[in-house]
């Protein structure tokens, strides 16, 4: 409970600071902060926190569960849309269907999942969240997600650019480097400085979320957003979370996986929606409402599991 209250204090506080700054500062600032974190900050934090992460056990299961959660979310969203169309005779436009599917599939396992895991469960179990994100969510968003988006948006001219973005993703390269760098012994002062840099990046990522939320003004698509959010943040974590012990994943490792599955839709869903002409307003609503709903769902999952 103490860890949870401390997390909420930091989470809400830093996001609120970012929200205020996002309203006051020029619109170019969040973009520049995001670019700095993407190219420099997040890679540094991955290297820093990997040094104390425990890589033993069945950590390779994390990305497998991530892909399972992604496909289950997509299937349930597709099934929900079919049922709704059959009952109400109201068929969503293809662009709306694409946004509903994306929001139910891919979670914010990096910018939100990492700091929440670190705050609640410590650096020892960080690798579980990292494997879930780097080998699961990343390819789910820019792999399977792109295929769906190109189908429902009918727009494929940026397909090659998105594929290239996976290859040159600095987080993926820092992930590989961090695994090797774990074997290098550093003086205590450098080890401590690297850890401070890692936590500084975590704070900046939370502030960046606040900055981006300050620019989201779409709230009129709540009924449709509720479909994706119910699947993404409630049904999928409950169904797969109930089977984690069958995979041999228990204790804090299971809590990491569960929290990653229960994250709200990723900002990547908005980027993909804009790139492939999907329903941007719906994607925005899912992001904003999901980020707020997370404050309610975290204690529920920790209590249930």
């Amino acid at each position: 409970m103490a860890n949870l209250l401390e997390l909420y204090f930091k989470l809400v506080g830093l996001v609120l600071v970012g929200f205020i700054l996002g309203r006051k500062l020029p619109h170019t600032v969040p973009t520049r902060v995001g670019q700095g974190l993407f190219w420099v900050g997040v890679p540094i934090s991955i290297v820093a926190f990997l040094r104390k992460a425990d890589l033993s056990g069945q950590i390779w299961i994390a990305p497998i569960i991530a892909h399972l959660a992604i496909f289950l979310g997509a299937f349930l969203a597709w099934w929900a849309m079919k049922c709704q169309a059959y009952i109400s005779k109201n068929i969503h436009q293809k662009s709306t269907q694409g946004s509903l599917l994306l929001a139910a599939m891919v979670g914010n396992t990096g910018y939100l999942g990492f700091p929440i895991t670190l705050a609640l469960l410590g650096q020892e179990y960080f690798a579980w969240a990292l494997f879930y994100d780097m080998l699961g969510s990343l390819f789910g968003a820019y792999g399977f997600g792109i295929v769906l988006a190109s189908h429902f948006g009918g727009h494929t001219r940026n397909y090659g650019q998105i594929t290239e973005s996976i290859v040159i993703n600095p987080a993926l390269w820092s992930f590989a480097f961090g695994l090797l760098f774990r074997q290098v012994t550093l003086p205590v002062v450098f080890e401590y400085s690297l850890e401070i840099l890692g936590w500084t990046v975590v704070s900046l990522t939370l502030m960046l979320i606040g900055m981006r939320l300050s620019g989201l003004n779409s709230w009129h698509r709540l009924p449709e957003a509720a479909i994706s959010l119910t699947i993404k943040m409630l049904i999928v974590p409950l169904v797969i979370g109930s089977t984690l012990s069958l995979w041999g994943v228990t204790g804090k490792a299971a809590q990491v996986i569960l929290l990653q599955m229960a994250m709200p839709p990723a900002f990547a869903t908005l980027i993909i929606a804009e790139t492939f002409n999907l329903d941007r307003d719906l994607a925005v609503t899912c992001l904003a409402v999901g980020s707020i709903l997370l404050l309610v769902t975290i204690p529920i999952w920790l209590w249930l599991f």
Side-chain angles (χ1 to χ4, degrees), residues 50 52-60 124 126-128 130-131 175 178-179 182-183:
L50 258 181
K52 293 185 178 180
D54 183 5
L55 299 183
S56 63
Q58 297 175 301
I59 198 169
W60 53 270
E124 182 181 356
F126 176 67
W128 285 85
L130 191 59
F131 272 65
F175 173 48
L179 292 175
R182 282 168 53 89
Q183 312 303 321

Coordinates of all heavy atoms in Angstrom, one line a residue, residues 50 52-60 124 126-128 130-131 175 178-179 182-183:
L50 N 18.8 -2.4 -16.7 CA 19.1 -3.8 -17.0 C 20.2 -4.3 -16.1 O 20.3 -5.5 -15.9 CB 19.5 -3.9 -18.5 CG 18.4 -4.5 -19.4 CD1 18.9 -4.5 -20.8 CD2 17.9 -5.8 -19.0
K52 N 20.8 -4.2 -13.0 CA 20.3 -4.9 -11.8 C 19.1 -5.8 -11.9 O 18.6 -6.3 -11.0 CB 20.0 -3.8 -10.7 CG 21.2 -3.0 -10.3 CD 20.9 -2.0 -9.1 CE 22.1 -1.3 -8.7 NZ 21.8 -0.3 -7.6
A53 N 18.7 -6.0 -13.2 CA 17.6 -6.8 -13.4 C 18.0 -8.3 -13.4 O 19.1 -8.7 -13.7 CB 17.0 -6.5 -14.8
D54 N 17.0 -9.1 -12.9 CA 17.2 -10.6 -12.8 C 16.8 -11.2 -14.1 O 15.6 -11.2 -14.4 CB 16.5 -11.1 -11.6 CG 16.7 -12.6 -11.4 OD1 17.5 -13.2 -12.1 OD2 16.0 -13.2 -10.5
L55 N 17.7 -11.8 -14.8 CA 17.4 -12.4 -16.1 C 17.2 -13.9 -16.0 O 17.2 -14.6 -17.0 CB 18.5 -12.1 -17.1 CG 18.7 -10.6 -17.5 CD1 19.8 -10.5 -18.5 CD2 17.5 -10.0 -17.9
S56 N 17.2 -14.4 -14.8 CA 17.0 -15.9 -14.6 C 15.5 -16.3 -14.7 O 14.7 -15.4 -14.8 CB 17.6 -16.3 -13.2 OG 16.8 -15.7 -12.2
G57 N 15.3 -17.5 -14.7 CA 13.9 -18.0 -14.8 C 13.4 -18.0 -16.2 O 14.1 -18.0 -17.2
Q58 N 12.1 -18.0 -16.3 CA 11.4 -18.2 -17.6 C 11.0 -16.8 -18.3 O 9.9 -16.6 -18.7 CB 10.1 -19.1 -17.5 CG 10.4 -20.5 -17.0 CD 9.1 -21.2 -16.8 OE1 8.3 -20.8 -15.9 NE2 9.0 -22.3 -17.5
I59 N 12.0 -16.0 -18.3 CA 11.8 -14.6 -18.8 C 11.4 -14.6 -20.2 O 10.7 -13.6 -20.7 CB 13.0 -13.7 -18.5 CG1 12.6 -12.2 -18.5 CG2 14.1 -14.0 -19.4 CD1 13.7 -11.3 -18.0
W60 N 11.8 -15.6 -21.0 CA 11.4 -15.6 -22.4 C 9.9 -15.8 -22.6 O 9.4 -15.6 -23.8 CB 12.2 -16.8 -23.1 CG 12.0 -18.1 -22.4 CD1 12.7 -18.6 -21.3 CD2 10.9 -19.1 -22.6 NE1 12.2 -19.8 -20.9 CE2 11.1 -20.1 -21.7 CE3 9.8 -19.1 -23.5 CZ2 10.3 -21.2 -21.6 CZ3 9.0 -20.2 -23.4 CH2 9.2 -21.3 -22.5
E124 N 14.7 -5.4 -9.9 CA 15.0 -6.8 -10.1 C 14.1 -7.4 -11.1 O 14.5 -8.3 -11.8 CB 14.8 -7.5 -8.7 CG 15.1 -9.0 -8.8 CD 14.9 -9.7 -7.4 OE1 14.6 -9.0 -6.4 OE2 15.1 -10.9 -7.4
F126 N 12.5 -5.7 -13.6 CA 12.4 -4.8 -14.7 C 12.5 -5.6 -16.0 O 11.9 -5.2 -17.0 CB 13.4 -3.7 -14.6 CG 13.4 -2.8 -15.8 CD1 12.3 -1.9 -16.1 CD2 14.5 -2.7 -16.7 CE1 12.3 -1.1 -17.1 CE2 14.5 -1.9 -17.8 CZ 13.4 -1.1 -18.0
A127 N 13.4 -6.6 -16.1 CA 13.6 -7.3 -17.3 C 12.3 -7.9 -17.9 O 12.1 -8.1 -19.1 CB 14.7 -8.4 -17.1
W128 N 11.4 -8.4 -17.0 CA 10.2 -9.0 -17.4 C 9.3 -7.9 -18.2 O 8.8 -8.2 -19.3 CB 9.3 -9.5 -16.2 CG 9.9 -10.7 -15.6 CD1 10.9 -10.8 -14.7 CD2 9.5 -12.1 -16.0 NE1 11.1 -12.2 -14.4 CE2 10.2 -12.9 -15.2 CE3 8.5 -12.6 -16.8 CZ2 10.1 -14.3 -15.2 CZ3 8.3 -14.0 -16.9 CH2 9.1 -14.8 -16.1
L130 N 10.6 -5.3 -19.7 CA 11.4 -4.9 -20.9 C 11.2 -5.9 -22.0 O 11.0 -5.6 -23.1 CB 12.9 -4.8 -20.5 CG 13.8 -4.2 -21.5 CD1 13.4 -2.8 -21.9 CD2 15.2 -4.2 -21.0
F131 N 11.3 -7.2 -21.6 CA 11.1 -8.3 -22.7 C 9.7 -8.2 -23.2 O 9.4 -8.4 -24.4 CB 11.4 -9.6 -22.0 CG 12.8 -10.1 -22.1 CD1 13.8 -9.4 -21.4 CD2 13.2 -11.1 -22.9 CE1 15.1 -9.7 -21.5 CE2 14.5 -11.5 -22.9 CZ 15.5 -10.8 -22.2
F175 N 18.6 -2.2 -25.9 CA 18.2 -3.5 -25.2 C 19.3 -4.5 -25.4 O 19.8 -5.2 -24.5 CB 16.9 -3.9 -25.8 CG 16.5 -5.3 -25.3 CD1 16.5 -5.6 -23.9 CD2 16.0 -6.2 -26.2 CE1 16.1 -6.9 -23.5 CE2 15.6 -7.5 -25.8 CZ 15.6 -7.8 -24.4
G178 N 22.5 -3.3 -23.7 CA 22.4 -3.4 -22.2 C 22.6 -4.8 -21.7 O 23.2 -5.0 -20.6
L179 N 22.2 -5.8 -22.5 CA 22.4 -7.2 -22.1 C 23.9 -7.5 -22.1 O 24.4 -8.2 -21.2 CB 21.7 -8.1 -23.1 CG 20.2 -8.1 -23.1 CD1 19.6 -9.0 -24.2 CD2 19.7 -8.6 -21.7
R182 N 25.9 -5.5 -19.1 CA 25.8 -6.0 -17.8 C 27.0 -6.7 -17.3 O 27.3 -6.7 -16.1 CB 24.6 -7.1 -17.8 CG 23.3 -6.5 -17.7 CD 22.2 -7.6 -18.0 NE 22.4 -8.7 -17.1 CZ 21.8 -8.9 -15.9 NH1 21.0 -7.9 -15.5 NH2 21.9 -9.9 -15.2
Q183 N 27.9 -7.2 -18.2 CA 29.1 -7.9 -17.8 C 30.2 -7.0 -17.5 O 31.2 -7.5 -16.9 CB 29.5 -8.9 -19.0 CG 28.4 -9.7 -19.6 CD 27.7 -10.6 -18.5 OE1 28.3 -11.1 -17.7 NE2 26.3 -10.7 -18.6

